[in-house]
Every structure is written in structure tokens, then in C-alpha cells.
Amino acid sequence: MRVIAGSARRLLLVTVDGNDTRPTGDKIKETLFNMLNFELPGAVFVDLYSGSGAIAIEALSRGAQKAYLVENNRKAAACIQKNLETTHFTEQGELMICDVMAGIRKLEGRGVKADIIFMDPPYNHEYEKNVLERLRNSSLVDDSTLIVVEASKETEFDYAQEFGYQLEREKVYKSSRHEFFRRKSATAEASENE
């Protein structure tokens, strides 16, 4: 696995042995970052269920200013640390070894405002639903924050509107999908309810 583009282009990344994590393939990663291109320069990027850290590192390589990588698995966290060192992003990339909900609480407590939140939780456990519900009233998110969810192709997001999210776009691949959400602004919600 490697960094596709930007300042760390072509640098190789280590991944976790076994099936504990599921790295996003290069083709899908490239498609994702082509869609994020205009959002990235100077962005604060939060990577939940970070795995090897490849997504956050790609974001930093392409111009994000800061990335927070939240990962609970110790082996994966060791890979992230190594990958941050290899790509020289130890200052811009901050590893948080904790579960996602604790990571969100810590970031809120520090007053962090995310421009982009990416999550790629284990498939078919509804973790993304729990996180979207948690983020709906979070100070980490405002109406301009883009939330990107990687999920299995079969995953339903019919609850998202009820949680106050607007689907901006989606991209469906062979076995997975990316959903792009923003929180509905208060004015948009008010006009919908009229």
C-alpha cells in the first residue's frame, strides 16, 4: 500500500497483518480523493476507525493542515505511528489510541472543529449509525463539515435525514460505497418543516 498523490506520493505504508482491519484499495482511495480534492487544502481531517492511517495520511499528503487518527486496536496504532514517521507527518498527524466515542469526546473537549470526518468502521454492525447519531449534536461538527462514510454496498442510510443530515453524493463500488453527508443547517430544516 502506498500514498497515491501529493507531498508523500509513492511512499509505502505498512498495514496490519490479519483480518482486523480492511484497507481501502488504491482505486477506491483515488476515486474518494478526487471527490474530496477541493475540500482538502488547509482542512482539519478526522479519521475514525483509522486502521493503518492510510486515508488520513493521503489527506495530509494532499494538503490537509491537521489530521486526528482515532484507532482502538494497538497493532493498528503501531502501524499508524510507523506510517506517520515514514511520511514525515508526525507533527500534522495526531494518533489517538481509544475507541471512537472516546475520541469524539476528547476532540470536543479540546474545541476541535472538523472540516472533514471520514469513517470506515467494520461492516454490517451499524457502528456508522451510532457515530452519526453521536455527531448530530456534536461541537466537532458544524453545517460545513463533510462527513464521509465507507460502508458495505448493502448498508442502508434511510435514518440519516431523520438525524438531521443531508446526503450530498454517493459513490457505489463493487462491494462497498461512500456516502457524503453534511448536517442540515437550521434554516434549511426550518424551511423543510414549513
Side-chain angles (χ1 to χ4, degrees):
M1 208 159 76
R2 65 197 169 91
V3 181
I4 297 170
S7 63
R9 186 177 181 198
R10 293 203 180 101
L11 290 178
L12 294 176
L13 303 174
V14 294
T15 56
V16 187
D17 291 335
N19 299 323
D20 288 348
T21 64
R22 185 194 58 255
T24 302
D26 276 2
K27 235 180 187 163
I28 291 175
K29 193 162 60 168
E30 188 149 18
T31 302
L32 168 67
F33 279 96
N34 286 342
M35 291 191 274
L36 290 177
N37 223 6
F38 298 111
E39 308 263 353
L40 281 171
V44 173
F45 193 95
V46 176
D47 186 2
L48 305 174
Y49 305 96
S50 200
S52 66
I55 296 292
I57 286 168
E58 189 75 39
L60 288 169
S61 182
R62 291 174 185 242
Q65 169 200 322
K66 180 78 181 172
Y68 297 94
L69 300 90
V70 181
E71 178 54 62
N72 208 12
N73 179 309
R74 295 266 163 192
K75 281 185 189 170
C79 282
I80 292 170
Q81 194 57 51
K82 193 167 173 28
N83 288 333
L84 287 172
E85 287 163 12
T86 300
T87 53
H88 309 290
F89 286 136
T90 48
E91 282 185 30
Q92 296 107 299
E94 185 177 325
L95 172 59
M96 301 171 71
I97 306 172
C98 58
D99 72 53
V100 162
M101 296 304 183
I104 291 169
R105 268 196 313 277
K106 286 176 186 179
L107 290 169
E108 287 169 340
R110 289 165 55 181
V112 171
K113 295 279 182 218
D115 296 303
I116 302 169
I117 296 176
F118 177 83
M119 67 176 110
D120 179 11
Y123 287 177
N124 305 318
H125 292 283
E126 294 203 339
Y127 294 139
E128 62 284 329
K129 183 176 184 179
N130 297 334
V131 175
L132 285 168
E133 186 167 22
R134 175 67 180 79
L135 290 174
R136 69 200 281 193
N137 299 311
S138 171
S139 61
L140 184 59
V141 177
D142 64 23
D143 298 345
S144 67
T145 305
L146 182 64
I147 301 172
V148 184
V149 184
E150 185 168 322
S152 72
K153 197 173 171 181
E154 299 73 37
T155 304
E156 294 290 337
F157 289 91
D158 46 6
Y159 55 82
Q161 197 163 352
E162 181 195 322
F163 284 5
Y165 294 102
Q166 198 166 310
L167 179 65
E168 287 214 339
R169 63 196 299 187
E170 65 181 339
K171 178 75 179 158
V172 180
Y173 309 97
K174 209 184 291 181
S175 62
S176 63
R177 66 200 297 160
H178 281 131
E179 303 285 312
F180 296 74
F181 296 105
R182 283 193 216 267
R183 212 157 64 173
K184 280 188 218 161
S185 66
T187 49
E189 283 208 60
S191 62
E192 270 182 27
N193 294 331
E194 281 173 12

